[in-house]
């Protein structure tokens, strides 16, 4: 059955951790069963908009109180609640239950598409708009010379995105700028690359062209049409619509290929996923990201921009300089707490048990939980990021 479903998993009952989020279950087996699945298979907990909503599933087998599902890209990780009396024999029914669950989720997934996604256009300032749909926010610059977009979400949404662009301007699309390589920002490249020139940092092209390893699997190389045809190492400028649109590389923040896009005439900046407004950010440590780099990049952007600039975040509503400054303070404050605790000799488990970030728990109600953020901060301070441990899906349906 494991061969039939392509299931590769392992049971590990030695790594226990307190988990107050599981409704009274004091501890669970972290990484009890890790599956490596085709990207078409996803958990039953489907996203609400851009936010994943996870559910506890009740297991029919004796001794198993619940099954908890977490997002990790398109790959689910299942956790078995800890039960001291549970031995390896009692895990056998679970191994039969998992394939059944996967078949159900596969059927649910097959029924889902992007048909219900609506693309919403909002004017930000000057000649710049923002499109919201499923995936990263799209920046749009319009004028007599044509259209420039920043990121393009998912390929199945290309038609809807084009219709939204027609509602803003009847001019042709000329350029696509990618802020980084993640599929919720570049998935539409394969469609838009047929009619416009794609521009990105050289690491974006490299990861799209070669593919990259991710926890639980790998990202396959992108189609030729999806690859940026113009790349840069530090910065580049697109002169269009009377606007000097600047793409500047800020290294090792969200990934190692991040670019922030400046629209100086309109007073707008598209931050990509170096800045989000949904709570704790996702840091792709597996692909060169770091909290330190994210802080440094955001602080540099603030130093480069006027107080009245509008910011398009990678995800979430339009923000301001004040909002970005609060975000930087969040990163710095939480990192300082972890650094001080580590200096006092406290382990990562000690920090979690003591609820070190209790004053920030409201920010962990989304898909980056408090404990997950602690993991990232602790690894960042030690300069020993563990991609398998730290990578979490960050709100992107069918992310690649």
């Amino acid at each position: 059955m494991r061969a039939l479903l392509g299931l590769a998993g392992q049971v590990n009952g030695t790594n226990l951790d307190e988990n107050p989020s599981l409704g009274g279950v004091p501890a669970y087996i972290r990484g009890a069963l890790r599956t490596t699945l085709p990207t078409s298979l996803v958990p039953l907990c489907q996203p609400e908009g851009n936010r994943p909503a996870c559910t506890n599933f009740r297991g029919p087998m004796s001794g198993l109180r619940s099954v908890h599902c977490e997002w990790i890209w398109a790959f689910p990780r299942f956790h078995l609640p800890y039960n001291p009396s549970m031995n390896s024999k009692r895990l056998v029914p679970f191994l039969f239950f998992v394939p059944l669950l996967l078949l159900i989720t596969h059927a649910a997934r097959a029924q889902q598409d992007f048909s219900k996604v609506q693309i919403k256009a909002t004017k930000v300032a000057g000649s710049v708009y923002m499109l919201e749909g499923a995936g990263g926010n799209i920046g749009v610059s319009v004028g007599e010379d044509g259209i420039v977009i920043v990121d393009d979400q998912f390929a199945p949404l290309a038609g809807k995105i084009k219709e939204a662009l027609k509602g803003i301007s009847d001019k042709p699309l000329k350029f696509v700028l990618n802020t980084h390589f993640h599929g919720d920002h570049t998935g539409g490249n394969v469609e838009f690359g047929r009619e416009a020139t794609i521009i990105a940092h050289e690491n974006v092209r490299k990861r799209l062209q070669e593919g990259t390893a991710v926890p639980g699997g790998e990202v396959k190389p992108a189609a030729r049409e999806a690859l940026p045809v113009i790349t840069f190492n530090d910065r580049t400028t697109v002169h269009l619509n009377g606007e000097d649109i600047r793409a500047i590389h800020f290294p090792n923040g969200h990934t190692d290929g991040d670019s922030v896009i400046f629209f100086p005439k309109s007073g707008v900046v598209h931050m990509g996923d170096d800045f989000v407004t949904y709570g704790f950010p996702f840091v792709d440590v597996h692909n060169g990201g770091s909290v330190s780099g994210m802080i440094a990049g955001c602080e540099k952007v603030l130093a480069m921009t006027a107080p009245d600039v509008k910011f398009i975040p990678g995800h979430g509503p339009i923000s301001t300089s004040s909002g970005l400054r609060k975000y930087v303070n969040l990163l710095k404050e939480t990192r300082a707490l972890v650094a001080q605790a580590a200096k006092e000799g406290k382990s990562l488990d000690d920090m979690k048990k003591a609820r070190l970030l209790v004053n920030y728990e409201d920010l962990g109600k989304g898909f980056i939980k408090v404990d997950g953020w602690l993991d990232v901060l602790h690894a960042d301070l030690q300069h020993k990021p563990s991609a398998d441990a730290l990578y979490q899906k960050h709100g992107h349906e069918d992310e690649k």
Side-chain angles (χ1 to χ4, degrees):
M1 185 175 293
R2 291 176 57 165
L4 176 64
L5 292 175
L7 183 68
Q10 63 179 7
V11 175
N12 179 1
T14 61
N15 188 4
L16 304 180
D17 197 1
E18 291 297 322
N19 185 6
S21 69
L22 287 183
V25 180
Y28 66 103
I29 303 176
R30 185 178 295 275
L33 183 65
R34 179 176 299 176
T35 60
T36 301
L37 306 170
T39 54
S40 61
L41 291 176
V42 296
L44 280 175
C45 49
Q46 299 296 333
E48 298 177 358
N50 287 340
R51 299 184 177 225
C54 288
T55 307
N56 286 341
F57 301 106
R58 297 297 168 184
M61 64 292 292
S62 173
L64 182 58
R65 295 170 63 179
S66 66
V67 178
H68 181 64
C69 168
E70 289 184 356
W71 280 100
I72 299 184
W73 282 30
F75 303 92
R77 176 179 295 175
F78 296 93
H79 296 287
L80 281 166
Y82 174 62
N83 186 332
S85 65
M86 185 183 295
N87 56 33
S88 60
K89 291 182 179 179
R90 299 185 71 180
L91 288 175
V92 173
F94 179 72
L95 297 179
F96 285 95
F97 173 69
V98 168
L100 175 61
L101 177 62
L102 296 178
L103 289 174
I104 295 173
T105 59
H106 181 58
R109 176 63 177 169
Q111 296 174 359
Q112 291 194 348
D113 54 35
F114 289 95
S115 63
K116 295 182 180 180
V117 175
Q118 301 296 318
I119 304 297
K120 175 185 175 183
T122 302
K123 185 167 184 177
V124 183
S127 59
V128 177
Y129 292 75
M130 182 178 81
L131 300 184
E132 299 171 85
N137 290 330
I138 299 175
V140 183
S141 171
V142 298
E144 289 301 314
D145 298 329
I147 300 174
V148 179
I149 64 173
V150 180
D151 293 337
D152 49 29
Q153 296 190 0
F154 299 102
L157 292 175
K160 292 185 177 184
I161 293 170
K162 290 177 182 179
E163 288 300 314
L165 292 176
K166 288 180 182 178
I168 300 173
S169 172
D170 60 358
K171 299 298 181 179
L173 177 65
K174 294 293 187 69
F175 297 97
V176 176
L177 294 166
N178 291 150
T179 60
H180 60 290
F181 82 93
H182 288 154
D184 61 305
H185 295 257
T186 63
N189 280 12
V190 68
E191 297 293 335
F192 293 106
R194 297 188 175 101
E195 60 185 274
T197 301
I198 303 175
I199 305 171
H201 184 264
E202 57 189 23
N203 284 346
V204 175
R205 179 180 170 89
K206 178 181 179 181
R207 297 208 183 275
L208 290 176
Q209 185 176 37
E210 299 177 0
T212 181
V214 298
E218 62 180 286
V219 177
K220 294 181 179 180
R224 182 178 60 84
E225 296 84 0
L227 299 177
V229 297
I230 296 177
T231 61
F232 57 94
N233 177 264
D234 178 57
R235 64 186 64 201
T236 193
T237 304
V238 176
H239 305 279
L240 206 73
N241 301 326
E243 185 96 69
D244 298 328
I245 304 169
R246 293 181 292 154
I248 301 178
H249 174 52
F250 288 84
N252 305 108
H254 179 61
T255 70
D256 63 4
D258 301 334
S259 295
V260 174
I261 316 300
F262 296 80
F263 302 90
K265 184 178 178 180
S266 296
V268 177
V269 177
H270 193 307
M271 293 293 296
D273 280 1
D274 278 329
F275 175 40
V276 295
T277 55
Y278 54 57
F280 296 125
F282 166 70
V283 180
D284 189 351
V285 296
H286 190 84
N287 289 290
S290 71
V291 179
S292 300
M294 187 174 281
I295 292 172
C298 290
E299 287 188 321
K300 187 173 181 180
V301 170
L302 284 169
M304 295 169 62
T305 53
D308 60 347
V309 163
K310 300 293 185 182
F311 289 91
I312 300 176
H315 299 267
I318 298 165
S319 190
T320 62
S321 294
S322 176
L324 179 56
R325 192 168 289 108
K326 289 179 181 178
Y327 173 79
V328 171
N329 289 339
L330 162 68
L331 303 186
K332 295 173 76 171
E333 289 168 6
T334 53
R335 187 180 65 168
L337 287 171
V338 174
Q340 181 60 35
K343 185 177 180 180
E344 295 170 359
K346 295 180 181 177
S347 68
L348 180 58
D349 285 343
D350 292 335
M351 298 178 202
K352 293 179 179 180
K353 291 176 182 177
R355 295 176 64 194
L356 182 65
L357 301 183
V358 63
N359 293 332
Y360 302 88
E361 288 182 350
D362 284 347
L363 298 173
K365 293 181 179 179
F367 37 84
I368 305 297
K369 307 301 181 185
V370 175
D371 281 0
W373 184 235
L374 272 170
D375 289 336
V376 173
L377 291 169
H378 188 264
D380 184 74
L381 288 167
Q382 293 195 346
H383 303 290
K384 295 179 180 179
S386 171
D388 286 343
L390 303 184
Y391 192 91
Q392 299 181 46
K393 185 177 173 67
H394 52 303
H396 309 325
E397 181 176 339
D398 198 28
E399 180 183 333
K400 296 181 180 180

